[in-house]
């Protein structure tokens, strides 16, 4: 008798979530001869399986040569790291421990965690950084496993894929709009008609089904299911609500796929409503797997912070006005209250310090001394609006929601202007909106999210698995664990599936000037030209700033013999598609192309990076973190800036080798990696590429005479 994974899973799917039967001694799969990977990880077939290995045998039988995966997956290869990761995840799930595991490209990590998740019988949330990975899990990996485990269709994996609330239609808002359409322009009317027709047939309310709706549709923003405008159970459309339905599906699912934004939005709602057990839309889970976990700090920081913009005041006033007009309740005094909020908000935001992009708001105290009356005026206008709304008799349910939003704005504005919290950095961001409008955001971000995540995530969860291709720095997880507050966790850096030494050559030119000097751009452009002649284009040239990208691009325009693509000339997906289809193309891009981009094959044979990707030191959040670490007696450069840049560099270089058959050149034009003491940390953290400082070796690598 053999013991197969499908037996375990069928047992679980039929609701008896008991532990799998152990295989009888002497009965595990016969080892497959001639495979070098095999011999050291499985006992001989003539030996009884020791107790401690019983669980592993089943995972082994799934992932090993001759196992279920090899028989069902068209592109099967045995990957030692994949099996090790599956074993580590299973152990973490069983022992209720946290695990942090670095698994490089090619490990096949999604199956390595999905299989133990299915075997565990627990409800597990899988949170990812990108939509691509969510779609891979839901549309490819889970159907594949279902087919592999239940080839006769006798079972089903219970999984669901949840997106952020603003991806779904709010039926209530659409119906309200139908009663009293407030649409601007022909385009909006057309979109409205398409959405109204689609609402009658869709089962999900997910806007991705509406391919014709532009990404930046202003109408969608008015009718999406965002939480701040939701009436919850008091809504007249509650029973048919897509969010209610999504929540119900999640409650019935064993695997719930979300992105980090949804996960942390939900966690922060739950944290704020500690005594409301139903707060949030994600159900309780036995474990959470964070894939692409290198993004957690930044995303968590944004959800545990506070943000108030001039747009939020305008949106509240507009929503109140539309609703009260529809309900014939817009009195003169309410109109006056709305007018006052609008005027006061406009005045207050106009007084804020000027500046471009993101900058620290270090003069809050002085600002309040000078403009305290305007701040109080805005607060009072909100109080007045709140009371006017509360005093309305026989008011519809949404009016309570408006009063709550007015109060929330008041509290948050108070925190932003008056809080002395030492673990918070206060800053301003100006973004250009449509039609010459400027959106101004007052922001408060935790300087250190570690204590928050420790208290409300890692101390409460039984098991968290953090994985990514880039988590370790110099082979250690200390940086990541410290930044995230993950005090106790098993750790694993998995062996790579790729032979980096023969697949990739890493070239750093020793003779270029320091990238911080004005001479750098011209000489870097010249070296890029020479390198692209050797590689015959087929390259990504990645920059740490738009200014440097545009400068080098302009210098090479008309000089290079290859098609040149520039970030910003078309949407990202269109540019990538063009790159894939254009022989010898060269793409010039910045940070958004450093991760989540996958171009396999010869078309991408070279990745050039202009400089070590240190975060911009003047960024208010980065600057506050640096200051805080130094003030606590640490060394921010070595404890924060270098490790963060190492992770980013690994991400950028990770674009090149995406399969066993890829081969190519990696270039870092910043030779501080060779000359500075800290350069070693970068070198030791990168995969074992063959390294050179000699252009001749680059030519030899590409067979150029
Ligand atoms: S419950 Fe909330 S999201 Fe759902 S239809 Fe009602 S208001 Fe919209």
């Amino acid at each position: 008798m053999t013991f197969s994974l499908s037996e375990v899973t069928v047992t679980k799917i039929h609701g008896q979530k008991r532990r799998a039967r152990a295989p009888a001694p002497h009965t595990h799969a016969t080892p497959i001869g001639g495979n070098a990977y095999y011999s050291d990880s499985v006992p001989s077939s003539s030996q009884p399986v020791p107790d401690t290995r019983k669980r592993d045998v089943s995972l082994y039988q799934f992932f090993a040569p001759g196992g279920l995966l090899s028989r069902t997956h068209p592109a099967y290869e045995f990957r030692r790291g994949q099996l090790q990761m599956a074993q580590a995840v299973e152990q973490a799930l069983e022992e209720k421990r946290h695990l942090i595991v670095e698994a490089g490209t090619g490990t096949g990590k999604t199956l390595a965690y999905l299989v133990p998740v299915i075997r565990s019988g627990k409800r597990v949330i899988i949170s990812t950084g990108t939509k691509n990975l969510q779609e891979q899990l839901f549309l490819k990996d889970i159907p594949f496993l279902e087919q592999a485990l239940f080839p006769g269709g006798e079972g089903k994996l219970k999984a669901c894929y949840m997106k952020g609330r603003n991806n779904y239609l709010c039926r209530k808002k659409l119906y309200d709009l139908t009663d009293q359409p407030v649409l601007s322009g022909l385009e909006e009317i057309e979109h409205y008609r398409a959405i109204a027709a689609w609402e009658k047939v869709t089962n999900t309310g997910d806007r991705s089904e509406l391919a014709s709706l532009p990404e930046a549709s202003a109408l969608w923003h008015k009718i999406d299911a965002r939480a701040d405008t939701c009436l919850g159970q008091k809504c007249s459309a509650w029973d048919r609500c897509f969010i209610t339905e999504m929540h119900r599906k999640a409650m019935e699912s064993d695997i719930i796929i979300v992105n980090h934004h949804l996960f942390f939005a939900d966690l922060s709602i739950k944290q704020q409503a500690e005594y409301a057990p139903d707060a949030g839309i994600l159900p309780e889970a036995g474990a959470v797997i964070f894939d692409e976990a290198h993004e957690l700090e930044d995303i968590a920081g944004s959800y545990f912070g506070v943000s108030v913009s001039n747009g939020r005041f305008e949106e509240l006033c507009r929503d109140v006005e539309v609703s009260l007009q529809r309900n014939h309740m817009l009195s003169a005094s309410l109109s006056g209250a709305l007018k006052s909020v609008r005027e006061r908000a406009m005045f207050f935001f106009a007084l804020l310090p000027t500046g471009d992009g993101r900058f620290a708001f270090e003069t809050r105290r002085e600002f309040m001394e000078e403009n305290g009356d305007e701040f109080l005026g805005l607060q009072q206008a909100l109080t007045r609006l709140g009371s006017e709304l509360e005093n309305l008799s026989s008011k519809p349910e949404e009016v309570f929601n408006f009063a709550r939003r007015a109060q929330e704005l008041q509290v948050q504005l108070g925190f932003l202007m008056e809080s002395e919290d030492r673990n918070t950095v206060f800053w301003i961001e100006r973004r250009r909106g449509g039609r010459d409008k400027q959106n101004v955001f007052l922001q408060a971000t935790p300087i250190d999210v570690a204590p928050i995540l420790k208290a409300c995530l890692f101390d409460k969860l039984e098991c968290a698995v953090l994985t990514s291709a880039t988590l370790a720095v110099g082979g250690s997880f200390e940086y990541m664990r410290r930044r995230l507050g993950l005090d106790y966790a098993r750790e694993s850096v998995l062996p790579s599936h790729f032979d980096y030494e023969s697949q990739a050559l890493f070239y750093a030119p020793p003779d270029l000037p320091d990238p911080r000097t004005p001479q750098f751009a011209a000489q870097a452009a010249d070296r890029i030209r020479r390198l692209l002649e050797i590689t015959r284009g087929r390259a990504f040239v990645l920059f740490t700033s738009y200014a440097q990208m545009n400068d080098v691009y302009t210098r090479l325009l008309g000089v290079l013999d290859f098609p040149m693509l520039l970030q910003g000339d078309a949407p990202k997906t269109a540019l990538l598609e063009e790159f894939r289809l254009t022989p010898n193309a060269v793409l010039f891009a910045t940070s958004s192309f450093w991760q989540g981009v996958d171009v396999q094959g010869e078309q991408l044979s070279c990745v050039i990076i202009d400089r070590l990707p240190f975060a911009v030191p003047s960024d208010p959040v980065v600057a506050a973190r640096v200051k805080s670490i130094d003030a606590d007696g640490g060394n921010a450069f070595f404890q924060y800036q270098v490790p963060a840049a190492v992770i980013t560099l690994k991400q950028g270089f990770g674009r090149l080798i995406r399969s066993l058959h890829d081969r190519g050149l990696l270039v870092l034009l910043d030779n501080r990696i060779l000359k500075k003491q800290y350069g070693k940390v970068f070198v030791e953290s990168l995969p074992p590429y063959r390294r050179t400082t000699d252009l001749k070796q680059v030519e030899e690598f590409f067979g150029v005479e």
Side-chain angles (χ1 to χ4, degrees), residues 165 168-175 223-227 229-244 401:
R165 293 182 62 124
Y168 299 90
L169 176 70
C170 169
R171 277 196 150 124
K172 163 100 174 59
K173 287 187 196 164
L174 182 75
Y175 298 160
I223 54 173
D224 70 24
R226 270 166 304 133
T229 50
C230 176
L231 306 179
Q233 292 188 21
K234 291 179 180 150
C235 169
S236 51
W238 165 260
D239 289 340
R240 297 188 58 231
C241 169
F242 296 116
I243 300 294
T244 315
N401 218 30

Side-chain angles (χ1 to χ4, degrees), residues 293-313:
H294 59 278
E295 297 180 10
L296 291 187
E297 182 182 8
D298 284 344
I299 297 176
S302 66
Y303 286 96
F304 288 106
V306 172
S307 172
V308 168
S309 65
N310 50 348
R312 258 179 82 185
F313 285 90

Side-chain angles (χ1 to χ4, degrees), residues 577-642:
E577 196 50 22
E578 200 176 340
F579 180 84
R580 285 192 186 100
L581 296 174
T582 312
N584 307 93
V586 180
L587 171 69
F588 292 76
T590 65
S591 58
S592 61
F593 284 78
W594 287 57
Q595 46 186 309
V597 171
D598 195 2
V599 180
Q600 289 193 15
E602 281 191 1
Q603 189 59 16
L604 179 63
S605 295
C606 173
V607 171
I608 300 174
I609 287 177
D610 67 335
R611 58 192 286 175
L612 289 170
F614 289 112
V616 182
S618 58
D619 179 90
V621 180
V622 174
R625 288 182 178 155
V626 166
K627 201 169 150 192
S628 159
I629 295 168
D630 286 340
D632 287 346
N635 181 326
F637 186 66
F638 282 103
Q639 290 174 340
Y640 175 59
Q641 288 162 289
V642 167

